[in-house]
Amino acid sequence: MTSGPAHPINPLVADVGSPPIPEAQAWTRRYDGSYGPLINLSQAVPGNAPHAELLGRMAAIAGAAAGSQYGPINGDAPLREAYAAELSRVYEGRIEPEDTAVTAGCNMAFFAAMMLLAHRNEAVLLPTPWYFNHQMTLDMLGIEPRPLPCRAESGFVPRIEDAEALIDEKVRAIVLVTPNNPTGAVYPAHVIDSFAQLCARRGLYLVIDETYRDFLPQEMNRAHGLFTREDWRDTVIQLYSFSKSYAIPGHRTGAITADAKLIEQIAKILDCIQICPPRTAQGALPWAIDGLRDWREGNRAEINRRAQVFQDALAPLPEWKIESVGAYFAYVRHPFSGAKAQQVAEKLATERGVLCLPGSYFGPGQEGHLRVAIANVGADVLSGLTERFRGLSL
């Protein structure tokens, strides 16, 4: 008996590759432990536990009946109020609670923003190397992810002139990610401001993903001055993740900041894909925004220290060139000319027990690079990477 043809599914989904991190994690099953315990530097995961009091508050909320009920589509009012006040303080601008929406993680914030701004056969400029979930989202929505090149010689910071040349009648928005995933590059404030001016001039939205904004270099208090402008609501949509800053990625809590009228439209999308964001973290975060300020600063200092430790670990191996480092990530050029990045990453994982991601996961033209999530492990582990990288051959 023969079966008939499989029922077709949406080709926009079928044509998107599977999530890449599980593929990379599968390589580690072939590691024999000869260099010591596996060091997982693939998926960006906070390398420290949440604050004990935050955990206690979330446990109490999770154990209460009220925390199990539906909440508002755009998030609980106390969190939106506290978050808007924090944004206004940090950026020295005027952000109202109505200008914010809480989402089930920053990936959902990005999905909702893209669904709002563009439709099938339109385009969004996406800096390359790009975060693969951004590219996957656009592909599944039928929106062209148009590569905005970011080059090593310019510190992986996008250039206005490159963006100008890519804008046509199909483009609806420009995405910036700072500190960047995957490169770790921190975009200068004047560059971000120039992109906002470009978007205002060309009638586009600037979507700025600041998932890692709480891990800026110590000398930087904020990434940009966009919110000091009276007209920011005409152009700017900001995305954020509480997950990394408070070490609670499993609780899926992110945010969108935009003009209140745009938030009203985003609510239609959020009602269909989340109904309401998870309640447990929302109940504790209004306290944490003020109460854990010093704790977050300590984490920022530690992540910046780990970046330096990683640089020191690879310093004796100049053939491995760190071309960018910042926040959670380092972007490293491997020494094997002409080799596929996946071949190099797989070899590191299976023979040396170091799992990082190949540059090919992050868009076209990235075969010479590996992404290393330096925040995942302590400085003591990072300092031992020298011998694991030394003498690797293909």
Side-chain angles (χ1 to χ4, degrees), residues 73-74 101-103 112 266-275:
I73 295 169
N74 285 341
V102 182
T103 60
I266 286 171
K268 300 175 186 177
I269 302 169
L270 297 180
D271 187 39
C272 292
I273 59 178
Q274 72 175 16
I275 298 181

Side-chain angles (χ1 to χ4, degrees), residues 155-157 177-180 183-189 192 215-217 220 223 324-327:
F156 291 102
V157 174
V177 183
T178 183
N180 186 260
T183 65
V186 176
Y187 301 168
I192 297 171
F215 303 98
L216 288 166
M220 291 185 67
S324 184
V325 62

Side-chain angles (χ1 to χ4, degrees), residues 64-279:
S68 300
Q69 300 300 311
Y70 284 133
I73 295 169
N74 285 341
D76 292 350
L79 178 54
R80 294 175 73 194
E81 291 165 3
Y83 181 58
E86 175 72 352
L87 285 174
S88 299
R89 184 191 69 82
V90 170
Y91 292 98
E92 299 179 1
R94 184 174 58 83
I95 297 98
E96 304 296 339
E98 294 76 18
D99 298 324
T100 69
V102 182
T103 60
C106 197
N107 268 4
M108 184 174 286
F110 182 82
F111 190 99
M114 294 301 103
M115 182 176 280
L116 175 76
L117 298 181
H119 57 73
R120 187 169 182 170
N121 297 324
E122 294 183 332
V124 168
L125 300 192
L126 201 61
T128 55
W130 53 39
Y131 174 42
F132 45 77
N133 280 159
H134 286 175
Q135 174 253 325
M136 291 169 69
T137 292
L138 293 173
D139 281 346
M140 285 189 285
L141 290 172
I143 302 166
E144 177 194 349
R146 189 169 295 181
L148 173 59
C150 300
R151 304 173 180 86
E153 57 267 27
S154 56
F156 291 102
V157 174
R159 302 190 311 169
I160 288 290
E161 53 266 40
D162 291 330
E164 286 264 25
L166 291 168
I167 296 171
D168 59 19
E169 70 282 353
K170 292 175 63 177
V171 174
R172 294 292 175 264
I174 300 175
V175 174
L176 299 181
V177 183
T178 183
N180 186 260
N181 178 7
T183 65
V186 176
Y187 301 168
H190 71 87
V191 171
I192 297 171
D193 186 67
S194 294
F195 270 93
Q197 293 178 42
L198 170 63
C199 287
R201 193 166 63 247
R202 301 297 295 269
L204 307 175
Y205 279 100
L206 177 66
V207 179
I208 181 163
D209 183 332
E210 294 188 71
T211 293
Y212 300 95
R213 75 139 196 256
D214 289 328
F215 303 98
L216 288 166
Q218 295 298 126
E219 66 274 10
M220 291 185 67
N221 294 322
R222 65 185 190 197
H224 56 77
L226 297 182
F227 291 125
T228 64
R229 299 162 56 120
E230 286 299 317
D231 61 351
W232 72 263
R233 290 177 176 81
D234 297 336
T235 302
V236 176
I237 298 176
Q238 186 213 41
L239 312 180
Y240 177 67
S241 171
F242 295 96
S243 300
K244 302 298 192 295
S245 300
Y246 297 89
I248 52 170
H251 288 280
R252 310 310 304 135
T253 316
I256 304 176
T257 301
D259 178 68
K261 289 185 172 59
L262 284 181
I263 295 295
E264 290 175 5
Q265 299 301 314
I266 286 171
K268 300 175 186 177
I269 302 169
L270 297 180
D271 187 39
C272 292
I273 59 178
Q274 72 175 16
I275 298 181
C276 71
R279 305 294 304 287

